[in-house]
Amino acid sequence: MARYNAKESESRWQGVWAKCNAFAAPNDSSRPKSYVLEMFPYPSGRIHMGHVRNYTMGDVLARFRRAQGCNVLHPMGWDAFGLPAENAAREQGIDPRVWTAANIKTMRGQLKAMGLAIDWSREFATCDPSYYAHQQKLFVEFHRAGLVYRAEADVNWDPVDGTVLANEQVIEGRGWRSGALVERRKLAQWFFRITDFADELLFALDELPRWPEKVRLMQKNWIGRSEGLRFAFTLSNGESIEVFSTRPDTLFGASFLALSPEHPMAQRLSSSDPALARFVAECRRLGTAEEAIETAEKSGYDTGMTAQHPFDPDWKLPVYVANFVLMGYGTGAIFGCPAHDQRDLEFARKYGLPVLPVVVPEGIAPQDFSIDRESYTGPGRIANSRFLDGMNVEAAKAEVRQRLERSGKGRAATLYRLRDWLVSRQRYWGCPIPMLHCDACGIVPVPENELPVLLPADARFDLPGNPLDHHPTWKHTWCPRCGKAARRDTDTLDTFVDSSWYFARFCNTAAAEPVDSTATHYWLPVNQYIGGIEHAILHLLYARFFTRALRRLGNVEIDEPFSGLFTQGMVCHETYRDANGQWLSPDEVEKSGGIARRRDTGAPVEIGPSEKMSKSKKNVVAPETIIDLYGADTIRWFMLSDTPPERDIEWTEAGAEGCWRFVQRIYRLVTEASGLPNPGTTNLETANWGGGGEAAVELRRASHRAIAWVTEDLEGLRFNRAVARIYELANAIGASPANIDGSVRREALEILVRLVAPMMPHLAESCWQALGHTSLIIDGAWPVADPDLVRSDTVTIAVQVDGKRRGEITIEREADAETVRAAALGADGVMRALAGRVPRKVIVVPQRIVNVVT
RNA sequence: GCGGGCGUGGCGAAAUCGGUAGACGCAACGGACUUAAAAUCCGUAGGGCCGAAAGGCCUGUGCCGGUUCAAGUCCGGCCGCCCGCACCA
């Protein structure tokens, strides 16, 4: 019996596909287009199981769409700028270009070994000057359009990576990459005006039905839109201070004003008030230790000043500097209404300030309502508020707004949590910012005919700091406006800029312009984007912004880059530790009967929980090892089986073996089938139904049901269910009688092979050939189910007595209710359960169930 | 604290328009083939009870309660786990 030789088959078919350029996508076609994209990889060195899962899912979809007759764009590239290359240069003295190119070479080979249906002619790396040149053009265009600006701001400084970071890149007070505690610094930096699009980016989330709810919600929260009122209080020293509030309806419940310790006025006052200066310094100290924020008690410093209530000049409120007021949000100053804000309440209790409820829940008399430890933030009627009394919250908000606007003290305002995107990085291995600093002319963009600004090839990495900055000559140039000496900007762009438009460049990688509008008009938006949830905010928000910016500049016509988004789960594995608590890798461990031992010494090993594969816990399995052992189809099949794609999957050796057995099983079913008519000569009308006739019909039904189910499951990216359906069909074929009609068996086998093809493409080609075909299965159409075979003429339904299953009946699908009722009452188990009792009621749900109620 | 998601066999999971719970896979067990092993094939299987068997009965989807002829699915209240944001005015 011939075993399937995966290694031979896979390299052979990969060669055949490459030779006929099978996956090259023309930029125009009469076929409908489908753009399938997985998040492109960072060339870290080797592909890992996460990549395998990601690219397998995308590949199944790309091949499925291709079989359905689409012109499919499925490209691959490299997110190739970034710190690891620069760190390698520092640690090993390797040129980042060389390091990156070597990694790409290795990883490209590994991806090709997976048999991905990729148009490799479109491949590029973001570190290619031919890519970043266009990015520099876009930067200059953005600058001209006012979408880029330079500003001095309090920024996040990552002391380990030695660079600033955007807000999105600070996770729990730490740098997203280094994990170092982020410090605040005041620096002049470049920003993208993403806040210009805050409303668009927020509201358009509702028009992305094929995005996960979770991601949309995360983006919504990140943008953090709140509507309210900005208005001023007059202080006892004659100055005025502006606050922002979403609850102007509670203005008569105010009992204090509070400024952020970083507020300019607090800073100024502290210069003549040493006690305040000490308080501000203390807040700053605690502020950076992020763990402290969580538990930090509210505290404040009474400035001794008072503020006039906007509606009553005789009502004076104390003015504090308080540790819980943030300078980075709103105006850095608030009015405190303790009864209706928990933070204000805690503050008021500590300093003995009044707590006056002004919103009273419906049905409670104002005098019966008081606040103890919990503030009240629900709806209700306004009380204790003069002209607002009796109104509901919304009406009171509107009334306060109108009065303050009329008196010129305030105006409606919408605030966002979202900040502009800081894109400067004090690093070498990135896209140079094409800007010059001239003492006479100020900031001057590099003229287009001098682009690209190339990275110097002779940078030194043995000095601390930014290599571009301490390069002896690179930054010195001449100002294109006045001709005098000027300095290049020595910062490079955040690498998230590189990945914010690569999907548009894929549409035409040879275009003279950054974005070919004809090609993007044809291909964009991406029909299905697939990647990890870790980019829910970062990359996906930036790419959405970039697309809108490109549209504003006339480069693209769409608002949203990705009409469908799928976030796949991680790949996990059991963890192992020896008696000393040292982590062990799976290949150092031998398992039998649930007990694990060291392979070398036989010493016992403790099996830990399954966690995301990571080098630190050594629970990694290298994809190339598995491909080498079983082939790409086996690893692909594993990634699709059992676990829903959005959940974390656990890699197990036993599961991989099971997949390998199935590969062999399919091959055996195909190669051991006998009595098959030649391809194209089957005749299902005149098939010989004698002998195994009933079985033949059953097999045809199983085959066509499989088509219907697998098609539906692939449409919904429910790969695990599609896999289960394919197992069922294989089981049905295996269980069918040996003498079954050859035409029927051929039909079943061909359907099986075609359904398997997007998932295990090499095996499918080999089987297709073994079935006598000379064409490639990748050129075959997706099978279509015969509806008459999908639905059978009879149905088997359960019969319940008082809600408990007591029997089942098989009956004509279209039988009327009376017939079903009679059959149900006559069923064995039903008669027994009734034991002569007369049913009170019989509920018949056609084609589903019968329930007999006594 | 706020927001979201999830709790189903030994394990991954199906069943979401309320209608036979556990499809399919992994692991396990029994058997066949084999000198033996591998590979393969057949069979068993939520738990419990009755029965020689065929089969039957009870019970079961985190817990408590409700709606319904019927609840894994809907509603109310708990418990547990995971994720995101976190003093955002």
Side-chain angles (χ1 to χ4, degrees), chain A residues 503-546:
Chain A
F503 48 88
R505 187 70 190 165
F506 272 140
C507 298
N508 180 353
T509 55
E513 294 305 308
V515 172
D516 173 347
S517 54
T518 312
T520 52
H521 175 73
Y522 177 66
W523 285 116
L524 292 180
V526 173
N527 297 72
Q528 185 67 57
Y529 197 36
I530 309 179
I533 185 78
E534 67 273 18
H535 290 112
I537 291 170
L538 288 159
H539 162 57
L540 290 167
L541 187 63
Y542 295 148
R544 293 183 63 220
F545 154 69
F546 230 84

Side-chain angles (χ1 to χ4, degrees), chain A residues 801-802 833-834 837-841 852-854:
Chain A
V801 176
D802 292 328
L834 284 173
R837 286 177 299 166
V838 179
R840 202 152 47 80
K841 196 168 159 192
V852 180
V853 186
T854 63

Side-chain angles (χ1 to χ4, degrees), chain A residues 116-133:
Chain A
L116 302 177
I118 280 172
D119 182 354
W120 286 101
S121 71
R122 295 174 188 254
E123 178 190 1
F124 64 80
T126 56
C127 64
D128 298 340
S130 58
Y131 182 75
Y132 74 71

Side-chain angles (χ1 to χ4, degrees), chain A residues 93-110:
Chain A
I94 306 173
D95 186 328
R97 283 168 194 72
V98 174
W99 185 86
T100 304
N103 287 349
I104 288 175
K105 184 161 185 266
T106 307
M107 292 172 74
R108 182 193 299 121
Q110 293 178 319

Side-chain angles (χ1 to χ4, degrees), chain A residues 232-538:
Chain A
F233 284 83
T234 306
L235 300 184
S236 49
N237 66 1
E239 294 186 57
S240 94
I241 190 111
E242 196 173 45
V243 301
F244 174 78
S245 174
T246 55
R247 294 297 303 274
D249 54 303
T250 64
L251 194 47
F252 286 100
S255 51
F256 63 93
L257 242 70
L259 309 179
S260 164
E262 293 171 78
H263 194 283
M265 186 178 287
Q267 300 276 310
R268 211 183 65 231
L269 292 173
S270 63
S271 65
S272 59
D273 183 345
L276 175 57
R278 275 197 299 279
F279 177 78
V280 168
E282 179 65 10
C283 289
R284 183 181 292 265
R285 195 181 64 77
L286 287 173
T288 48
E290 35 90 42
E291 300 298 336
I293 294 173
E294 221 167 295
T295 47
E297 209 181 307
K298 306 275 174 290
S299 70
Y301 180 88
D302 189 345
T303 63
M305 291 197 296
T306 59
Q308 241 179 50
H309 193 282
F311 291 130
D312 184 350
D314 298 327
W315 185 353
K316 308 290 188 197
L317 300 164
V319 179
Y320 285 81
V321 174
N323 66 342
F324 67 95
V325 183
L326 306 173
M327 193 58 224
Y329 189 79
T331 63
I334 60 156
F335 81 83
C337 176
H340 305 292
D341 183 289
Q342 191 60 31
R343 293 155 304 176
D344 297 349
L345 180 63
E346 286 167 29
F347 190 82
R349 291 297 184 212
K350 180 160 174 181
Y351 294 102
L353 298 165
V355 179
L356 177 69
V358 291
V359 181
V360 178
E362 212 64 59
I364 299 182
Q367 63 273 18
D368 298 335
F369 186 63
S370 68
I371 298 292
D372 180 28
R373 298 263 126 223
E374 298 280 315
S375 64
Y376 177 73
T377 54
R381 298 255 154 226
I382 306 294
N384 305 317
S385 298
R386 308 185 194 182
F387 55 83
L388 299 177
D389 282 356
M391 292 184 183
N392 65 30
V393 167
E394 286 314 311
K397 280 181 182 172
E399 180 65 25
V400 170
R401 195 191 79 218
Q402 275 163 27
R403 288 188 183 228
L404 288 176
E405 279 177 345
R406 222 176 295 139
S407 64
K409 284 181 182 161
R411 62 201 154 86
T414 304
L415 249 55
Y416 303 89
R417 207 179 92 91
L418 181 71
R419 294 282 91 107
D420 276 335
W421 177 13
L422 195 172
V423 293
S424 308
R425 296 291 179 274
Q426 290 71 47
R427 306 299 311 202
Y428 168 80
W429 193 233
C431 171
I433 295 177
M435 289 292 183
L436 304 175
H437 301 266
C438 169
D439 288 336
C441 309
I443 289 182
V444 181
V446 176
E448 192 169 331
N449 59 11
E450 288 178 29
L451 294 177
V453 177
L454 292 171
L455 287 168
D458 56 349
R460 287 179 60 181
F461 297 96
D462 53 348
L463 303 170
N466 181 353
L468 289 181
D469 194 34
H470 60 56
H471 189 279
T473 57
W474 185 80
K475 69 181 169 189
H476 301 296
T477 183
W478 286 272
C479 172
R481 289 203 188 140
C482 67
K484 291 186 195 137
R487 280 159 285 107
R488 292 192 187 285
D489 200 300
T490 57
D491 287 349
T492 50
L493 288 172
D494 182 2
T495 57
F496 280 102
V497 177
D498 310 342
S499 51
S500 292
W501 66 286
Y502 77 108
F503 48 88
R505 187 70 190 165
F506 272 140
C507 298
N508 180 353
T509 55
E513 294 305 308
V515 172
D516 173 347
S517 54
T518 312
T520 52
H521 175 73
Y522 177 66
W523 285 116
L524 292 180
V526 173
N527 297 72
Q528 185 67 57
Y529 197 36
I530 309 179
I533 185 78
E534 67 273 18
H535 290 112
I537 291 170
L538 288 159

